[in-house]
């Protein structure tokens, strides 16, 4: 069993409230718009980090992380990318990756809207943890934690870290 913390759209802001959730996780997965490599180093001092770069991320992050990341965790195939599009209306590159890789879990960011849905067409869970940074239009900073045991996703929680401005 692995405890996973899923974050996105930090925009170079590591909320102090987030630190205790990072400590409780086995791994942190970042859905892009990280903001700086220093933020990644801060997280990596605490727990292993898997991440993709987003549209605001510069050369250093694009050299370190990929735009698309596919891997297995326990018995779950995971696909992370920053800009996926809406459920059922994925952009062309994402549709191609879904058809090729057949992930069980698609994680993205970009919209700053926390959304978790089952996509029947592609037989996957679409998960956007929302945004946990202070830049953007979201009102509340959110992240998602879950456990993966075998092929099961368990104990999924949406965690609110407080108002974006606070």
């Amino acid at each position: 069993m692995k405890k996973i913390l899923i974050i996105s759209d930090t925009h170079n802001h590591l909320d102090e409230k987030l630190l205790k959730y990072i400590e409780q996780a086995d791994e942190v997965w970042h859905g892009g718009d990280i903001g700086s490599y220093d933020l990644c180093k801060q997280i990596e001092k605490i727990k292993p980090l898997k991440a993709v770069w987003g549209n605001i991320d510069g050369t250093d992050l694009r050299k370190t992380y990929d735009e698309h990341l596919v891997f297995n965790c326990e018995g779950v195939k995971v696909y992370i990318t920053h800009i996926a599009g809406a459920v059922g209306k994925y952009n062309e590159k994402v549709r191609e990756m879904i058809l090729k890789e057949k992930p069980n879990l698609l994680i993205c960011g970009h919209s700053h809207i926390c959304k978790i849905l089952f996509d029947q067409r592609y037989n996957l869970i679409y998960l956007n943890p929302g945004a946990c940074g202070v830049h953007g239009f979201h009102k509340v900073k959110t992240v998602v934690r879950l456990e993966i045991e075998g092929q099961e996703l368990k104990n999924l929680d949406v965690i609110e870290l407080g108002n974006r401005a606070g």
Side-chain angles (χ1 to χ4, degrees):
M1 180 186 67
K2 284 211 175 185
K3 296 177 182 179
I4 309 299
L5 182 68
I6 303 169
I7 65 175
S8 189
D9 296 278
T10 48
H11 292 258
N12 202 34
H13 174 76
L14 188 59
D15 193 307
E16 285 192 26
K17 293 175 192 165
L18 187 57
L19 297 177
K20 78 174 182 180
Y21 298 108
I22 292 172
E23 289 171 1
Q24 293 169 0
D26 294 317
E27 294 181 3
V28 178
W29 299 348
H30 199 303
D33 276 3
I34 299 162
S36 77
Y37 190 61
D38 287 340
L39 185 135
C40 296
K41 286 192 255 181
Q42 287 179 276
I43 293 171
E44 288 171 336
K45 284 181 186 174
I46 305 168
K47 294 293 172 160
L49 172 68
K50 286 181 170 64
V52 296
W53 56 261
N55 55 292
I56 68 130
D57 294 322
T59 307
D60 60 337
L61 290 166
R62 290 176 189 230
K63 285 181 181 177
T64 305
Y65 301 104
D66 293 319
E67 180 180 10
H68 303 273
L69 179 62
V70 178
F71 60 94
N72 287 299
C73 179
E74 298 270 321
V76 175
K77 192 165 197 180
V78 180
Y79 169 32
I80 306 176
T81 192
H82 184 59
I83 302 174
V87 174
K89 298 178 183 175
Y90 304 115
N91 66 55
E92 186 177 340
K93 202 177 223 181
V94 169
R95 264 194 323 274
E96 288 172 8
M97 290 290 289
I98 290 171
L99 291 171
K100 177 184 171 195
E101 300 292 343
K102 299 184 179 12
N104 308 108
L105 176 61
L106 167 62
I107 296 169
C108 61
H110 188 63
S111 71
H112 292 219
I113 299 168
C114 184
K115 189 177 284 189
I116 304 163
L117 297 168
F118 181 71
D119 182 340
Q120 291 182 341
R121 180 176 183 186
Y122 295 106
N123 195 34
L124 60 81
I125 295 172
Y126 171 100
L127 192 156
N128 185 325
C132 60
V134 294
H135 297 289
F137 64 88
H138 60 286
K139 293 187 182 339
V140 177
K141 296 175 282 190
T142 57
V143 300
V144 171
R145 70 176 168 190
L146 56 84
E147 296 172 357
I148 298 178
E149 186 169 1
Q151 295 180 329
E152 286 187 61
L153 303 180
K154 300 169 115 178
N155 300 318
L156 189 145
D157 288 318
V158 174
I159 299 165
E160 294 184 357
L161 300 174
N163 293 333
R164 175 181 48 88

